[in-house]
């Protein structure tokens, strides 16, 4: 995408095509998203679509500046260049959803409106610590999270039982993880599925393994620390998993965990909280369990916390109304705002609510009563770390290292060194907001 070109180039491209301020009579503001409006055979997708359409209908009833939803299929929205290209041409949406992985691309490109004037200070304090931090620059808020999504390893209990494994065999270390993976592997079944397709999702799923050994891309002072033992160790784990035949280089069942478990094609699968609702809807008979990330020697537990946010386009037709909408939707202490966020995380989806008040309300309403959600809330989430907001160059350097180690079988030392060189070269001339 054009916004990957670096802050300066992107800003120039954006400025040249930026829309002027508009009045309410030049049509509704466009909210690009991958949920609504859509009609589906799938009750879960319909519930999510309804949440968005209800939200916008409520705003439109009470505000002069109207908003309309523009739906895009998730792959187009999440993996494509659709958004960056539209922004660079000055034809981007007025309101949009962004993941932490895209935050700096958009911030440095000048398309994120400052939401701070429209967000209640008490609501800022109500967000879980760190949840908002990766969407802020200084003390200003540029995106409002709607959910928090932690990661775990899921396992199929029936497959475990067939192999004589029980809860006592849940791996606590990386060696044990590979050991159990080997026991579960057959000609038709993957012992452990790790994400093999390159993309922001693969990076997001990999970061936890790097962090648990004490590794990071940059330290607290902004020094590049990619070429380090914990980073090599995490690359090595994913390489070993593929090399030993435990993890297939192409994910089984079309990379869909639910199908994988239903057809007995996987023993363990590394994924996120979003699978819980899908398991309930499409595989109610699958008896599954989950466990927190096992640890490397001397490591400490964490998980990466993902989740999408509402953003307003600073170059859009009415940035003020767009920012006001985001604050109204997710950034107030009004009961209806807290209710709305609770409903998203326990009814429309199954997520950890990003604000304390919504998590409390969701808990009171039984949204975290079932064992899976309870485990996510009490065991997995509290020690998590927000998904980092690395710009495209940094993301790509790490993605190449993961791909090179895992699938090309290259030396992890070479891959870590190469990634460190790319990141160092980038950081030397980097002029945008803090990378950490």
């Amino acid at each position: 995408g054009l916004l990957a070109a670096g802050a300066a180039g992107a800003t120039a491209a954006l400025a040249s095509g930026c829309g002027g301020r508009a009045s309410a009579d030049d049509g509704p503001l466009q909210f690009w998203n991958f949920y609504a409006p859509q009609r589906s055979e799938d009750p879960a997708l319909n519930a999510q679509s309804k949440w968005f359409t209800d939200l916008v209908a409520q705003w439109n009833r009470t505000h002069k500046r109207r908003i309309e939803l523009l739906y895009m299929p998730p792959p187009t929205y999440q993996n494509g260049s659709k958004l960056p290209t539209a922004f660079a041409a000055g034809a981007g949406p007025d309101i949009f959803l962004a993941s932490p992985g895209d935050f700096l691309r958009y911030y440095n490109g000048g398309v994120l409106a400052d939401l701070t004037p429209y967000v209640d200070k008490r609501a800022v304090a109500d967000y879980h610590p760190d949840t908002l931090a990766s969407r802020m620059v200084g003390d200003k808020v540029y995106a409002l999270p709607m959910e928090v999504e932690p990661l775990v390893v899921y396992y199929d209990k029936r497959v475990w039982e067939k192999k004589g494994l029980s809860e006592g065999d849940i791996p606590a270390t990386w060696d044990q993880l590979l050991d159990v993976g080997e026991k579960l592997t057959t000609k038709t079944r993957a012992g452990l599925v790790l994400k093999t397709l390159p993309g922001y999702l693969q990076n997001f799923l990999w970061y936890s393994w790097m962090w648990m050994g004490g590794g990071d891309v940059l330290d607290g002072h902004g020094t590049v620390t990619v070429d380090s033992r914990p980073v090599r160790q995490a690359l090595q784990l994913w390489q070993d998993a593929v090399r030993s035949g435990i993890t297939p280089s192409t994910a089984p069942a079309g990379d869909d965990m639910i199908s994988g478990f239903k057809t007995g094609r996987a023993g363990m699968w590394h994924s996120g909280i979003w699978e819980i609702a899908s398991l309930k809807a499409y595989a109610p008979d699958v008896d599954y369990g989950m466990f927190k990330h096992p640890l490397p020697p001397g490591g400490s537990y964490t998980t990466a916390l993902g989740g999408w946010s509402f953003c307003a386009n600073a170059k859009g037709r009415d940035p003020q109304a767009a920012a006001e909408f985001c604050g109204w939707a997710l950034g107030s202490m009004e009961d209806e705002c807290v209710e709305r966020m609770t409903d998203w995380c326990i009814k429309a989806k199954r997520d950890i609510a990003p604000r304390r008040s919504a998590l409390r309300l969701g808990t009171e309403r039984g949204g975290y009563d079932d064992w899976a959600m309870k485990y996510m809330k009490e065991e997995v989430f509290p020690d998590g770390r927000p998904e980092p907001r690395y710009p495209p160059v940094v993301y790509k350097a790490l993605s190449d290292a993961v791909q090179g180690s895992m699938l090309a079988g290259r030396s992890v030392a070479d891959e870590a060194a190469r990634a460190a060189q790319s990141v160092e070269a980038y950081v030397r001339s980097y002029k945008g907001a803090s990378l950490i």
Side-chain angles (χ1 to χ4, degrees):
L2 286 161
L3 277 175
T11 310
L14 288 160
S16 65
C18 88
R21 300 294 175 264
S23 57
D25 55 16
D26 69 343
L29 298 182
Q30 286 202 328
F31 184 174
W32 290 16
N33 74 95
F34 48 89
Y35 287 111
Q38 62 163 325
R39 277 210 177 80
S40 167
E41 301 290 300
D42 178 339
L45 294 181
N46 286 337
Q48 290 158 18
S49 180
K50 185 180 184 315
W51 186 89
F52 272 88
T53 49
D54 288 352
L55 171 74
V56 167
Q58 193 184 348
W59 166 272
N60 287 343
R61 276 197 300 275
T62 50
H63 294 79
K64 207 163 127 186
R65 179 49 118 161
R66 294 175 69 78
I67 290 169
E68 68 177 358
L69 290 158
L70 184 78
Y71 170 79
M72 283 175 201
T76 306
Y77 193 101
Q78 295 170 14
N79 308 331
S81 57
K82 186 108 180 149
L83 246 70
T85 308
F87 281 127
D94 299 293
I95 301 154
F96 60 103
L97 299 179
S99 76
D102 274 328
F103 179 84
L104 284 178
R105 175 203 295 233
Y106 293 143
Y107 175 81
N108 293 339
V111 292
L112 293 184
D114 179 7
L115 307 181
T116 321
Y118 308 98
V119 178
D120 188 324
K121 283 188 174 62
R122 293 168 305 160
V124 170
D126 188 39
Y127 271 94
H128 303 305
D130 292 349
T131 301
L132 208 51
S134 59
R135 279 87 163 193
M136 293 176 75
V137 177
D139 56 2
K140 292 185 170 171
V141 178
Y142 288 91
L144 285 169
M146 60 195 295
E147 62 202 3
V148 177
E149 300 193 309
L151 307 173
V152 291
V153 181
Y154 290 85
Y155 66 98
D156 184 336
K157 287 188 172 179
R158 295 167 308 180
V159 168
W160 277 51
E161 277 159 20
K162 274 187 195 137
K163 288 287 176 186
L165 297 169
S166 67
E167 278 188 18
D169 296 294
I170 286 174
T173 68
W174 289 6
D175 284 347
Q176 289 168 357
L177 179 69
L178 294 175
D179 206 38
V180 170
E182 207 171 335
K183 291 190 171 106
L184 297 170
T185 303
T186 67
K187 277 198 175 69
T188 57
R189 185 172 58 237
L192 167 67
V193 178
L194 297 169
K195 190 80 181 166
T196 48
L197 277 176
Y200 275 98
L201 180 58
Q202 185 185 45
N203 276 34
F204 167 53
L205 288 160
W206 179 79
Y207 292 134
S208 309
W209 306 90
M210 165 179 79
W211 292 337
M212 286 188 291
D216 220 324
V217 175
L218 300 143
D219 67 13
H221 309 291
T223 307
V224 177
T225 53
V226 177
D227 196 2
S228 61
R229 196 182 65 83
V231 174
R232 291 192 290 271
Q233 178 178 263
L235 291 171
Q236 189 69 56
L237 173 71
W238 282 39
Q239 184 181 74
D240 289 347
V242 172
R243 202 173 256 173
S244 61
I246 294 164
T247 295
S249 52
T250 305
D255 206 9
D256 174 48
M257 187 186 101
I258 312 305
S259 309
F261 279 1
K262 271 169 99 168
T263 56
R265 301 288 301 281
M268 297 183 284
W269 200 301
H270 181 236
S271 192
I273 191 171
W274 53 86
E275 304 284 9
I276 294 175
S278 302
L279 281 158
K280 195 175 177 187
Y282 306 115
D285 301 336
V286 169
D287 189 11
Y288 72 97
M290 62 174 77
F291 54 88
K292 297 194 322 189
H293 293 140
L295 300 179
S300 57
Y301 167 73
T302 193
T303 185
L305 304 171
W308 292 76
S309 302
F310 280 27
C311 302
N313 181 1
K315 311 272 189 201
R317 289 173 302 149
D318 191 344
Q320 202 175 328
E324 189 189 339
F325 168 78
C326 294
W328 169 86
L330 303 176
S332 94
M333 292 307 290
E334 298 291 329
D335 288 348
E336 66 172 15
C337 179
V338 177
E339 293 253 348
R340 172 184 302 137
M341 297 181 81
T342 304
D343 284 351
W344 176 253
C345 293
I346 68 167
K347 287 184 182 167
K349 283 184 85 183
R350 311 288 277 151
D351 279 336
I352 301 293
R355 285 174 47 181
R356 291 184 182 94
S357 55
L359 191 58
R360 235 185 349 261
L361 185 61
T363 305
E364 283 164 19
R365 295 199 171 160
Y368 301 93
D369 282 358
D370 71 85
W371 72 268
M373 290 301 283
K374 193 179 163 79
Y375 183 75
M376 281 287 189
K377 177 186 168 227
E378 292 174 7
E379 302 290 328
V380 179
F381 162 68
D383 295 310
R385 275 180 61 171
E387 179 183 352
R389 60 186 199 181
Y390 304 133
V393 174
V394 177
Y395 142 75
K396 185 76 169 73
L398 295 167
S399 175
D400 288 348
V402 174
Q403 287 288 307
S405 309
M406 194 181 192
L407 299 181
R410 296 196 194 111
S411 132
V412 299
D414 291 352
E415 290 303 305
R418 192 179 300 130
Q421 275 177 336
S422 298
V423 177
E424 272 162 13
Y426 179 71
V427 168
R428 271 200 296 278
S429 60
Y430 177 71
K431 295 279 190 291
S434 168
L435 299 170
I436 46 179

